[in-house]
């Protein structure tokens, strides 16, 4: 009993548990943890999202693999019949597995990244950034010519060209047509 009196009479009201000292002011009731620990931990939203993505990719992969197991493909770039058969099989795989072609991916990227861009200059710069990230080269120098055409149209209008400006965009398209004819 003397131990208990000494134990509770400490000025800082410390509780000794094994090798650890806990202050009663900093201790949270173990009952609150016990109540929440009784049920299974719920999955995080991010984990559920990743699980959904994984299952979707797995389904697409299994679909593509199933089609490729059934089809007989001859790989011969010199044989036109083999090339057309390969193209047909790959088109079937993309359609059934809901996969995009490279051009469809680029189109989706352009649409999603440029959706809220109001002016033509920022739009063209975003296209340039997408092209660089995709590893596409501008061998003809088309971007520089398009920026020159944009500069010319903006000088005519004496203001920045907005994408929803019908008159200005028609002038820009006319300049692009002139460039394409050259």
């Amino acid at each position: 009993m003397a131990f208990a009196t000494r134990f509770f009479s400490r000025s800082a009201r410390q509780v000794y548990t094994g090798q650890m000292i806990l202050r009663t002011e900093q201790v949270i009731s173990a009952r609150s943890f016990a109540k929440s620990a009784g049920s299974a931990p719920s999955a995080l939203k991010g984990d559920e999202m990743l699980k959904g993505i994984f299952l979707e990719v797995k389904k697409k992969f299994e679909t593509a693999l199933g089609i490729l197991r059934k089809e007989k493909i001859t790989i011969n770039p010199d044989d036109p019949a083999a090339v057309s058969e390969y193209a047909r099989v790959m088109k079937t795989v993309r359609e059934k597995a809901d996969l995009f072609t490279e051009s469809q991916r680029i189109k989706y990227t352009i649409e999603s990244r440029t959706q809220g861009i109001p002016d033509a200059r920022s739009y063209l710069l975003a296209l340039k950034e997408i092209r660089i990230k995709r590893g596409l080269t501008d061998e003809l120098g088309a971007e520089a010519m398009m920026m020159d055409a944009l500069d010319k149209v903006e000088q005519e209008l004496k203001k920045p060209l907005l994408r929803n400006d019908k008159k200005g965009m028609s002038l820009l398209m006319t300049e692009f047509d002139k460039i394409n004819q050259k």
Side-chain angles (χ1 to χ4, degrees):
M1 193 65 169
F3 173 75
T5 307
R6 210 172 343 135
F7 178 75
F8 289 111
S9 65
R10 293 204 174 257
S11 62
R13 302 195 92 198
Q14 296 175 337
V15 179
Y16 291 83
T17 58
Q19 297 292 322
M20 204 163 71
I21 300 174
L22 299 173
R23 295 183 186 258
T24 55
E25 297 89 23
Q26 298 170 348
V27 175
I28 298 172
S29 173
R31 290 183 185 175
S32 66
F33 289 115
K35 288 178 186 175
S36 65
S39 62
S42 61
L44 300 172
K45 288 182 180 179
D47 291 343
E48 285 297 317
M49 183 178 71
L50 288 174
K51 182 180 177 183
I53 291 170
F54 174 77
L55 292 175
E56 181 181 340
V57 169
K58 180 182 173 190
K59 179 183 169 195
K60 289 179 179 184
F61 177 75
E62 288 173 347
T63 302
L65 215 55
I67 293 169
L68 292 172
R69 281 188 187 127
K70 294 176 188 173
E71 297 289 337
K72 180 181 175 187
I73 302 173
T74 305
I75 308 236
N76 184 1
D78 299 327
D79 182 16
V83 171
S84 65
E85 180 64 18
Y86 174 79
R88 185 192 64 77
V89 169
M90 293 312 293
K91 182 179 179 185
T92 303
V93 166
R94 279 194 297 276
E95 288 172 355
K96 298 277 182 172
D98 199 27
L99 300 172
F100 292 126
T101 63
E102 187 64 21
S103 61
Q104 288 171 325
R105 285 187 194 141
I106 292 170
K107 180 182 176 188
Y108 174 76
T109 303
I110 289 171
E111 288 173 356
S112 63
R113 293 220 180 129
T114 61
Q115 187 175 16
I117 298 176
D119 63 304
R121 183 170 303 279
S122 298
Y123 180 82
L124 290 177
L125 291 173
L127 290 180
K128 180 179 181 179
E129 182 181 320
I130 292 168
R131 180 192 58 77
I132 290 170
K133 283 184 180 178
R134 284 283 186 177
L136 302 171
T137 58
D138 182 18
E139 297 169 359
L140 300 174
E143 284 176 354
M145 289 186 273
M146 288 191 305
M147 291 303 266
D148 291 341
L150 178 62
D151 289 337
K152 185 177 177 182
V153 169
E154 285 182 340
Q155 284 176 355
E156 276 182 41
L157 296 173
K158 295 182 175 94
K159 64 178 184 177
L161 178 61
L162 298 177
R163 290 173 60 192
N164 62 1
D165 180 7
K166 303 280 187 212
K167 179 185 172 204
M169 289 304 288
S170 66
L171 288 171
L172 184 62
M173 291 302 166
T174 305
E175 288 296 320
F176 286 169
D177 290 338
K178 288 178 186 176
I179 292 170
N180 288 332
Q181 289 174 358
K182 292 178 185 178

